Amino acid sequence: MSDAAVSRQLSAVNVDRSESSFAAFWKMAGWPARVSLALLAAFALAALFAPAVAPYDPAAQNRRQPHHPPMRVHLAPPGEWSEGLLYVHKTKLADIRKRRYEETEERIRLSFFKRGRVLTTADPDARLFLLGTDALGRDFFSRLVYGGRISLSIGLVGVAISYTLGILIGAFSGYVGGRADFVIMRATEILMSLPTFYFLLTLAVIIPATLPSSLTYLLIVAILSFIGWAGLARIVRGLVLSEREREYVLAARAMGASGARVLVRHVVPSTFNYAVVSATLSIPGYILGESALSFLGLGIKDPDSSWGLLLAEAQNVEYLLRFQWLLIPGLLIFLTVMAFNFLGDALRDHMDPKRRGTV
Amino acid sequence: MGRYVLRRLVNAVPLIIGITFISFVVVDLAPGDFFTSLKMNPQISPETLQGMEAKYGFDKPLVVRFFLWFWRVLHLDLGESIFYHVDVLSLIGRFLPNTVILSAAAMVVSWGLAVPLGLFMALRPGTWADRLLSFFAFMGMSIPSFFFALLLLIFALQTGWFPTGGSFSPDYDTLSLAGKVWDRVHHLILPVVVLGTSGVAGLMRLMRGNVMEIMNADYVRTARAKGLPERVVVFKHILRNAINPFITIAGYELGALFGGAALVEAVLHLQGMGNLMLQAVLSQDLFLLMGSILIGAVLLIVGNLLADIALKFADPRIRYE
Amino acid sequence: MFRMATIPRFVSIPLLALLFACSGGAERPELPPTLTTDTLGDPKTFNMIVSKETSSSAVAGILFEGLIRREPVTTDFEPVLAESWSVSPDGRTWTFKLRKDVLWSDGVPFTADDIVFTARAIYDPKVASSIRDAWMIEGKKMVVTPVDRHTVSFTLPFPFAPFLDIVQVDILPRHKLEAALDAGTFDSAWNINTPPGELVGTGPYVITKYVPAQHVLYEVNPRYWRKDEKGDRLPSIKRRVLLIVKDINTAYVKFDAGETDIYAPPADMVETIRGKARARDWTLKELGLSTGTPFIAFNRNPRHFVKGGKRDPRLDWFTDKKFLKALAHAVDKETIVFNAFRGYGEPAVADISPEVKRFHNADLKDYEYDLKKAERLLSEAGYVDRDGDKIREDPRGNPVSFDLYTNQGNRTRERIAAIVLEDWKKLGLKVNYKPLEFNTLVEKLDSNFDWDAILIGLTGGLEPHWGSTFYKSSGHLHMWNPRQAKPETAWEAEIDRLIDLGARELDPKKRPQHYKKIQEILHEELPVILTARESVFIAHKNRVLGYNPTIWGTPDPEKMRLAY
């Protein structure tokens, strides 16, 4: 980023140190931000409690029910509520090649909180496919819930890594100055001049595929963060440069506080407000990065699941036209990213009331 | 000014060495190389393979290979694509124009829409039009480009209104000049919609923010207080100042031009740098990969420099040491 | 997919012929009716001798011809550039009489010198030829001699049954390429930047324009020698376009949009095509079963498993017939056909496809899918869960745990792996599934041997001898234990012997016996467990006439016509 642009960013961020409680934020936020927060909370809870929310093991195959369409859930007539509030119709496979299923008259009763699941069938051998199944007959809803674990957390973990790096390195660089500052700034320039997407592709190839998927996942986050920290470090450095001339820092030093202590206790926290807002706004970048990599087959791999990977299945044109529930992961990515954008926007307004209603 | 440009150019040299060296190391870390896949061909003997590896210098240590490569780059020789058996520079020369045309078109469209819309929104903040446009902006920023491209592909497939990929028709050469232009434009529409959407969304919000900030500035209030007609205030004072940051962005887009289109190219089957690069990554075509990264980096650096210079002309308050 | 970069030229001929057969296009009045087909990926070269991938041969192959070719219906050889051929009584010298009316597309006459030149280029050590290894007969070169201007002879070290298969290679023009060969620049001669006018062949078409990643335009070669019954010059279709597509999805999109005339749908797309065929005026044809089958190989390489005198227990499992048979009984081939091939395919039993009628062994009995039986076999062989952790231990107490690899990005294979994996886990085996990037997989198979089980496939052809690098213990695609100095086991020694016998056996009646025996041994010893064969389909617009492809290619592609 050019120096001029950094200075613009700086002037745009008013370091407001007022107390910011959740209640105050909720009160101030408009409905888009509230809906976004609720949506993200719901997604996060579902992912967190995936084993209870997902009716089935995400890898369990129902071999004679491939590409089963989503089932319609019916409300039972009041007289039958003792047997279960909700039911679906049992289906039978009418044409294996066309993947055509026909509903039968037979009803499958659903029950809540049975066998450790929030919602599942009363009969353990019956099947409930809320959002259909994939080519191997795996319950798509369960796969989405488990996939959410990766897609949702990747942004948080990625931001945590890159912001820790960015803030610490940026603050250090700005505070110490001199040769260290020069070297760090040249390093950030190199990182920022990398053609990002190409470099990302190149990096993705070097992840050894023999690694367990949990490690692969972490490496993808690390790669994304590795590219992400540089821009932030420069901005934080700028903030620190202006901050360190402030009276309270000068006062602390005059009172004999060591350089490192001043850095950690006073200078770094002063950049937090900026960081919270920009972190919220940069989470979508990580989510999109992961889904793009997985979509291209360079990220998370089957049998694990992530939204990007699940969407890759929909690249098949026929699936797009006939099994449209396979597009749901795209919708979920879209909704999540939008929610983070709304939330970040509202947070910025909240932290910096002067700018409310601007960018 | 001259000294400033010179200094930036001198700085660019270690930058480029750094970028390319990192990339070189990364490519080297990847398991296997281009020849690995040939090993599965029952008709190629190990001796043949060894000969080929030696020919392309794959038997030397990493650092030696890097400097051999860099030395040739200084002589404008980017090496030969192992996969295509062709000079990398000419290969890039064939694919780059399509990406540039696509990105330029997307840029023109997104600026053309974002600037007036952003201005319009800022002048009527809080109205339903502002809210609606803001909401669309959020949607446009949030939709993953490859998902959007997939949706448009279904649309094209269902309606038959648009070609389903490619940059021009096979019978392009037989068309009249007007036909050629239309053919190109027709093929550009869908990818430009995808690329332009995210562009419009981001820029529109930026424009709106800038205008609102400037509207509160003292000189605008003064202008209004002087009784200048609103039209003059808006176009002369507000618009000109609000556009400044866009100049910086234009510089970055020169680099982003190069990479941003890659996913869209992949989904909509366009023949640009993105697909070329993807192919190079998958086949581990070292020189092609390095060539593409180098060109990408150079474009980005030059873009930033041009932006900073342009900004200086646009905004005399900015000084460079 | 293995076949991507690796199909030997000969095996790819059927594929090529399929592509040949394809076509269409939005015509403007001034253009002759045009056949438009698709091809996967860009050509890397137009030089058929250094071409290593089908994407190149699909584009350039249309320009050239060989001495002879296989007729796709009878699968017998038919004359092309050679009018006739004969073999000497000792079976070592083959003599080809060339056609005298053949001109290169630039007007220069075609002669025996061009054959000799092509052989020279193939054998030149400086040329990165992908054909040379196939032309080495047990390590020896063939001697190619021009007898006269229109006669050429090939002298072999000994009678070699698959000889006619290897002489199908495309013949290149000496007058255009000899200078490059002499200068040592043959590899980059005729690269993708070469002006199309320089590309001179004897085939029915010439390239007029190549736009990378877009299309290749062809026009008829006005000097082409073939004529139809009425004496009109062939080919009947005067213009062709080959659209370059990135993946099989794009190929469908192009066909559906009416941009291409012919399309080979994967199993997933067949129902869509069938559903639209009537309304869209398409014909869908089922050609038969694919020649290859995905299989699971088990590493039985002592160079990897025996180190410092210590023997890894995995080597014992993977060489234990009872263990392997139990696994074979736990491969649900029916589900593989249903869920990975969409119901279009058949379980594979013998290594050689039933499509290769002469060599296929139809007498083998499959290991039927029966988890109970598999469990019983394991228990009988001493693999039982002794510590109650639901994982079986081998007779010496090691828990049975191994890795299963496949190449990622190949959706069909990933699905097959998922199906097999679920069943093997049910047996009480700990199987770790690891989809790997293709290059890594090859490195494991070929250089460091660090793998346990792999799901992979190889393409087959009409001539089983091309599988010898897979069958023979010294072959480098003998995956379970490649490049052995001498065969590790008695049955591998037996297969080696049968392969050599088969290659020297000239009697077409006796020859198949050797290969049937090989299939029997593989079925019994189970170094690989076969899965299923996918059906191959072709769809074309009904305006394409005279197009009757088989799994081996299109008969008389030059006579295909367009109704409008």
Side-chain angles (χ1 to χ4, degrees):
Chain A
M1 184 168 298
S2 74
D3 301 344
V6 171
S7 67
R8 279 204 68 81
Q9 288 255 21
L10 273 178
S11 70
V13 176
N14 176 308
V15 187
D16 178 1
R17 323 204 85 239
S18 69
E19 207 51 41
S20 53
S21 72
F22 178 76
F25 170 68
W26 184 259
K27 227 175 91 191
M28 189 228 94
W31 68 265
R34 291 186 195 177
V35 172
S36 300
L37 197 61
L39 192 73
L40 288 177
F43 284 177
L45 283 175
L48 198 61
F49 297 107
V53 174
Y56 306 106
D57 175 347
Q61 301 167 16
N62 302 288
R63 297 194 166 177
R64 288 297 171 268
Q65 285 157 305
H67 289 311
H68 193 292
M71 290 177 169
R72 263 179 306 173
V73 178
H74 303 270
L75 185 67
E80 297 171 21
W81 282 3
S82 56
E83 295 169 57
L85 192 62
L86 305 172
Y87 70 89
V88 293
H89 281 290
K90 196 180 162 95
T91 57
K92 70 175 206 289
L93 184 53
D95 185 333
I96 183 91
R97 290 177 166 176
K98 289 199 174 68
R99 305 292 201 236
R100 199 158 52 77
Y101 294 84
E102 280 166 6
E103 279 195 352
T104 62
E105 283 304 306
E106 199 180 330
R107 291 175 179 184
I108 301 174
R109 299 281 170 190
L110 307 183
S111 42
F112 292 95
F113 302 106
K114 222 177 187 178
R115 298 191 299 278
R117 316 281 185 174
V118 174
L119 176 66
T120 184
T121 51
D123 172 6
D125 292 329
R127 286 288 174 268
L128 164 68
F129 301 128
L130 280 176
L131 296 178
T133 66
D134 69 4
L136 291 169
R138 298 179 292 197
D139 178 36
F140 208 56
F141 178 68
S142 302
R143 290 184 71 68
L144 283 168
V145 170
Y146 276 90
R149 290 187 147 186
I150 285 180
S151 297
L152 291 170
S153 62
I154 208 141
L156 301 178
V157 178
V159 161
I161 298 178
S162 69
Y163 276 65
T164 312
L165 278 178
I167 290 179
L168 289 182
I169 297 176
F172 173 80
S173 181
Y175 193 81
V176 174
R179 197 166 292 170
D181 182 39
F182 179 82
V183 171
I184 291 172
M185 284 306 107
R186 296 295 84 74
T188 58
E189 271 166 25
I190 289 183
L191 280 180
M192 293 174 71
S193 307
L194 281 173
T196 320
F197 189 74
Y198 295 174
F199 192 66
L200 204 62
L201 286 181
T202 315
L203 275 170
V205 178
I206 68 170
I207 299 180
T210 44
L211 290 181
S213 53
S214 53
L215 263 179
T216 312
Y217 161 74
L218 278 179
L219 272 173
I220 291 174
V221 189
I223 288 171
L224 292 164
S225 323
F226 175 72
I227 300 178
W229 68 268
L232 182 76
R234 288 180 78 89
I235 291 168
V236 169
R237 170 182 173 269
L239 282 174
V240 168
L241 277 181
S242 70
E243 202 72 358
R244 79 172 178 185
E245 303 307 324
R246 290 246 197 145
E247 285 130 34
Y248 71 94
V249 178
L250 294 176
R253 296 191 84 168
M255 284 161 68
S258 78
R261 193 179 153 80
V262 173
L263 184 72
V264 173
R265 292 293 298 274
H266 300 283
V267 178
V268 170
S270 70
T271 62
F272 277 178
N273 269 351
Y274 169 78
V276 168
V277 173
S278 93
T280 313
L281 289 172
S282 56
I283 286 176
Y286 290 86
I287 297 178
L288 291 173
E290 182 275 324
S291 51
L293 279 185
S294 299
F295 184 77
L296 292 175
L298 297 167
I300 303 287
K301 286 157 196 161
D302 204 74
D304 296 306
S305 103
S306 87
W307 293 347
L309 178 72
L310 292 179
L311 185 61
E313 183 100 343
Q315 272 187 86
N316 181 314
V317 182
E318 199 221 17
Y319 292 6
L320 273 181
L321 297 175
R322 297 198 45 215
F323 311 135
Q324 283 169 352
W325 59 93
L326 294 175
L327 281 170
I328 295 172
L331 191 68
L332 292 183
I333 299 173
F334 170 54
L335 288 178
T336 307
V337 169
M338 190 144 94
F340 272 112
N341 279 338
F342 274 125
L343 201 62
D345 200 48
L347 264 178
R348 175 166 43 197
D349 288 353
H350 176 64
M351 301 261 181
D352 182 9
K354 228 178 56 186
R355 286 170 51 81
R356 186 166 308 161
T358 58
V359 176
Chain B
M1 189 69 190
R3 277 186 54 200
Y4 169 75
V5 172
L6 195 68
R7 206 190 69 203
R8 287 280 296 261
L9 286 178
V10 171
N11 277 350
V13 175
L15 209 57
I16 286 177
I17 296 186
I19 292 166
T20 49
F21 187 70
I22 292 181
S23 311
F24 211 88
V25 172
V26 165
V27 176
D28 196 69
L29 284 174
D33 55 44
F34 175 75
F35 300 101
T36 320
S37 57
L38 294 186
K39 286 186 185 153
M40 285 318 284
N41 188 333
Q43 311 202 325
I44 297 184
S45 66
E47 295 75 37
T48 312
L49 275 173
Q50 266 169 22
M52 285 170 72
E53 286 188 82
K55 176 173 170 186
Y56 291 109
F58 276 74
D59 48 355
K60 298 197 180 65
L62 174 72
V63 181
V64 176
R65 266 184 291 145
F66 175 73
F67 281 103
L68 278 178
W69 174 79
F70 200 80
W71 181 247
R72 279 185 316 196
V73 168
L74 291 181
H75 296 80
L76 286 182
D77 172 13
L78 296 188
E80 189 183 74
S81 156
I82 307 166
F83 199 51
Y84 288 90
H85 294 292
V86 187
D87 177 37
V88 168
L89 206 57
S90 70
L91 202 60
I92 292 178
R94 281 186 168 197
F95 282 76
L96 189 60
N98 284 334
T99 304
V100 170
I101 291 175
L102 167 62
S103 317
M107 209 158 132
V108 168
V109 167
S110 52
W111 283 44
L113 283 175
V115 170
L117 284 178
L119 185 67
F120 171 82
M121 287 160 76
L123 294 176
R124 289 167 183 72
T127 58
W128 65 268
D130 176 33
R131 281 165 196 240
L132 194 70
L133 283 171
S134 287
F135 194 78
F136 276 122
F138 269 112
M139 282 181 56
M141 278 163 57
S142 308
I143 192 160
S145 60
F146 50 92
F147 181 52
F148 194 26
L150 271 181
L151 294 180
L152 287 184
L153 196 60
I154 303 183
F155 176 74
L157 218 52
Q158 299 282 45
T159 60
W161 293 349
F162 296 101
T164 48
S167 302
F168 46 86
S169 315
D171 52 2
Y172 181 75
D173 285 335
T174 65
L175 301 175
S176 63
L177 182 65
K180 280 182 179 171
V181 172
W182 164 241
D183 190 60
R184 286 271 186 176
V185 171
H186 198 199
H187 280 80
L188 270 174
I189 294 176
L190 289 189
V192 165
V193 167
V194 177
L195 269 185
T197 300
S198 61
V200 171
L203 290 173
M204 194 160 92
R205 283 171 47 76
L206 189 70
M207 185 67 194
R208 179 180 180 277
N210 284 337
V211 172
M212 294 195 71
E213 206 177 304
I214 289 162
M215 286 209 303
N216 291 327
D218 294 340
Y219 60 86
V220 175
R221 283 196 216 132
T222 315
R224 283 222 172 94
K226 276 197 299 191
L228 285 178
E230 186 64 15
R231 200 169 48 85
V232 177
V233 177
V234 168
F235 286 98
K236 201 160 169 203
H237 292 88
I238 298 180
L239 192 58
R240 278 180 63 175
N241 283 295
I243 274 183
N244 275 352
F246 281 58
I247 294 170
T248 325
I249 293 172
Y252 292 118
E253 285 209 356
L254 191 59
L257 279 185
F258 207 60
L263 265 174
V264 179
E265 283 176 6
V267 180
L268 289 180
H269 187 236
L270 300 170
Q271 285 68 59
M273 287 303 297
N275 267 333
L276 184 68
M277 180 74 185
L278 200 58
Q279 167 76 69
V281 166
L282 292 176
S283 59
Q284 291 178 297
D285 192 342
L286 178 71
F287 298 127
L288 182 54
L289 209 56
M290 292 306 303
S292 312
I293 290 181
L294 178 77
I295 301 269
V298 168
L299 279 181
L300 200 70
I301 290 169
V302 171
N304 289 353
L305 179 60
L306 287 180
D308 285 345
I309 294 171
L311 195 58
K312 183 186 158 50
F313 283 108
D315 189 346
R317 287 170 303 176
I318 291 171
R319 291 220 173 132
Y320 298 108
E321 312 149 33
Chain C
M1 214 154 150
F2 267 67
R3 64 153 82 117
M4 249 171 24
T6 61
I7 299 196
R9 179 70 187 85
F10 318 102
V11 179
S12 70
I13 284 170
L15 253 176
L16 246 180
L18 277 184
L19 287 160
F20 236 90
C22 310
S23 41
E27 307 84 349
R28 320 262 154 146
E30 62 270 32
L31 294 176
T34 303
L35 181 74
T36 307
T37 53
D38 61 58
T39 180
L40 212 56
D42 269 288
K44 312 298 175 278
T45 175
F46 295 116
N47 185 332
M48 291 301 287
I49 287 180
V50 300
S51 126
K52 293 176 188 64
E53 52 286 303
T54 33
S55 63
S56 298
S57 26
V59 171
I62 305 174
L63 307 186
F64 305 101
E65 292 177 316
L67 290 171
I68 54 174
R69 71 180 178 197
R70 289 246 191 209
E71 203 290 317
V73 178
T74 61
T75 70
D76 292 333
F77 290 101
E78 62 177 13
V80 184
L81 293 177
E83 257 171 359
S84 64
W85 58 94
S86 60
V87 61
S88 64
D90 68 355
R92 286 184 51 216
T93 304
W94 290 79
T95 308
F96 292 84
K97 288 258 173 238
L98 307 183
R99 296 189 67 93
K100 298 190 176 68
D101 58 350
V102 180
L103 297 178
W104 292 97
S105 54
D106 59 356
V108 174
F110 159 81
T111 68
D113 286 344
D114 294 307
I115 318 282
V116 177
F117 167 76
T118 303
R120 205 190 119 203
I122 290 173
Y123 282 134
D124 190 323
K126 286 200 296 293
V127 174
S129 156
S130 49
I131 299 169
R132 185 189 311 124
D133 292 346
W135 272 43
M136 301 299 275
I137 294 169
E138 289 185 18
K140 297 189 192 72
K141 289 182 187 174
M142 302 186 281
V143 180
V144 185
T145 337
V147 178
D148 61 42
R149 196 171 150 81
H150 293 288
T151 312
V152 68
S153 74
F154 287 71
T155 308
L156 318 181
F158 52 82
F160 186 60
F163 169 74
L164 287 177
D165 262 280
I166 65 174
V167 289
Q168 292 184 84
V169 294
D170 288 324
I171 304 302
L172 298 183
R174 180 186 143 191
H175 67 283
K176 277 287 177 187
L177 287 166
E178 192 168 39
L181 184 63
D182 291 339
T185 56
F186 190 78
D187 282 10
S188 53
W190 283 10
N191 63 43
I192 61 161
N193 280 337
T194 304
E198 288 292 300
L199 309 175
V200 168
T202 61
Y205 295 93
V206 292
I207 294 181
T208 51
K209 186 160 186 151
Y210 162 53
V211 186
Q214 292 263 9
H215 52 244
V216 187
L217 305 184
Y218 298 88
E219 250 155 48
V220 74
N221 169 7
R223 300 192 170 91
Y224 188 55
W225 55 272
R226 223 181 268 262
K227 296 187 178 71
D228 67 8
E229 293 79 4
K230 284 180 284 174
D232 291 335
R233 276 195 186 271
L234 290 172
S236 315
I237 296 170
K238 301 301 178 196
R239 185 170 178 269
R240 294 195 47 178
V241 173
L242 202 56
L243 291 188
I244 296 162
V245 299
K246 187 174 58 75
D247 53 33
I248 50 174
N249 274 325
T250 321
Y252 169 72
V253 169
K254 295 287 172 193
F255 184 65
D256 188 63
E259 291 179 42
T260 52
D261 293 295
I262 296 173
Y263 165 63
D268 265 337
M269 297 307 302
V270 170
E271 279 309 319
T272 307
I273 300 289
R274 200 191 295 286
K276 291 185 175 184
R278 186 184 294 250
R280 303 291 302 275
D281 204 20
W282 293 339
T283 299
L284 177 73
K285 288 173 180 157
E286 182 166 357
L287 306 188
L289 291 177
S290 139
T291 54
T293 167
F295 57 80
I296 299 159
F298 295 93
N299 192 355
R300 37 212 297 173
N301 191 338
R303 281 166 285 177
H304 174 59
F305 283 133
V306 184
K307 288 207 177 104
K310 275 189 61 178
R311 192 177 157 92
D312 192 297
R314 280 173 289 182
L315 183 56
D316 295 327
W317 313 335
F318 299 153
T319 50
D320 180 350
K321 240 197 269 181
K322 288 198 190 102
F323 178 81
L324 295 169
K325 281 186 176 164
L327 293 189
H329 277 294
V331 173
D332 186 355
K333 296 182 183 178
E334 202 182 330
T335 294
I336 290 174
V337 172
F338 277 0
N339 288 1
F341 298 154
R342 210 49 194 277
Y344 291 108
E346 270 174 31
V349 185
D351 182 73
I352 295 177
S353 165
E355 297 289 347
V356 190
K357 293 185 185 68
R358 276 177 67 206
F359 297 103
H360 170 68
N361 187 336
D363 301 328
L364 304 178
K365 187 181 167 299
D366 202 4
Y367 299 95
E368 75 282 2
Y369 175 61
D370 185 344
L371 288 183
K372 289 262 164 356
K373 188 170 183 181
E375 285 179 357
R376 205 173 57 236
L377 281 172
L378 281 177
S379 302
E380 279 169 14
Y383 299 84
V384 234
D385 176 20
R386 296 190 187 82
D387 53 11
D389 64 352
K390 302 228 166 78
I391 304 290
R392 288 173 190 262
E393 283 83 37
D394 72 5
R396 272 179 286 161
N398 303 297
V400 183
S401 161
F402 60 91
D403 295 336
L404 172 68
Y405 298 117
T406 191
N407 55 320
Q408 65 154 93
N410 183 323
R411 215 149 281 256
T412 310
R413 267 182 217 162
E414 286 176 356
R415 283 183 196 159
I416 295 173
I419 292 166
V420 171
L421 202 70
E422 197 178 49
D423 281 325
W424 288 0
K425 282 184 173 167
K426 279 186 196 153
L427 292 183
L429 310 176
K430 190 167 182 298
V431 189
N432 318 302
Y433 172 57
K434 291 173 178 173
L436 284 193
E437 196 257 329
F438 184 75
N439 279 352
T440 321
L441 201 65
V442 173
E443 201 155 304
K444 286 181 176 298
L445 279 173
D446 192 66
S447 357
N448 60 30
F449 311 124
D450 180 13
W451 57 282
D452 300 337
I454 248 167
L455 174 68
I456 200 90
L458 291 174
T459 8
L462 273 168
E463 172 48 63
H465 183 73
W466 298 118
S468 55
T469 173
F470 170 77
Y471 297 126
K472 278 182 103 164
S473 60
S474 56
H476 72 268
L477 286 179
H478 190 74
M479 295 180 191
W480 55 91
N481 189 4
R483 297 192 300 263
Q484 302 173 45
K486 75 183 192 12
E488 187 83 21
T489 62
W491 61 266
E492 283 172 291
E494 176 63 8
I495 291 180
D496 288 1
R497 196 181 68 87
L498 289 165
I499 285 287
D500 288 346
L501 279 178
R504 290 168 186 248
E505 177 58 70
L506 299 180
D507 182 346
K509 291 235 160 49
K510 287 189 198 146
R511 221 183 142 217
Q513 294 317 315
H514 303 303
Y515 296 96
K516 286 188 177 171
K517 184 80 182 125
I518 291 174
Q519 293 169 70
E520 198 182 310
I521 297 174
L522 289 174
H523 185 70
E524 174 62 22
E525 300 293 334
L526 283 174
V528 300
I529 295 177
L530 305 179
T531 62
R533 289 195 170 84
E534 192 173 356
S535 302
V536 178
F537 289 85
I538 202 88
H540 64 85
K541 287 187 189 167
N542 287 339
R543 74 175 195 131
V544 183
L545 304 175
Y547 176 52
N548 299 298
T550 76
I551 190 99
W552 305 116
T554 308
D556 289 328
E558 300 82 10
K559 291 184 184 161
M560 284 166 61
R561 282 170 297 122
L562 294 173
Y564 48 88

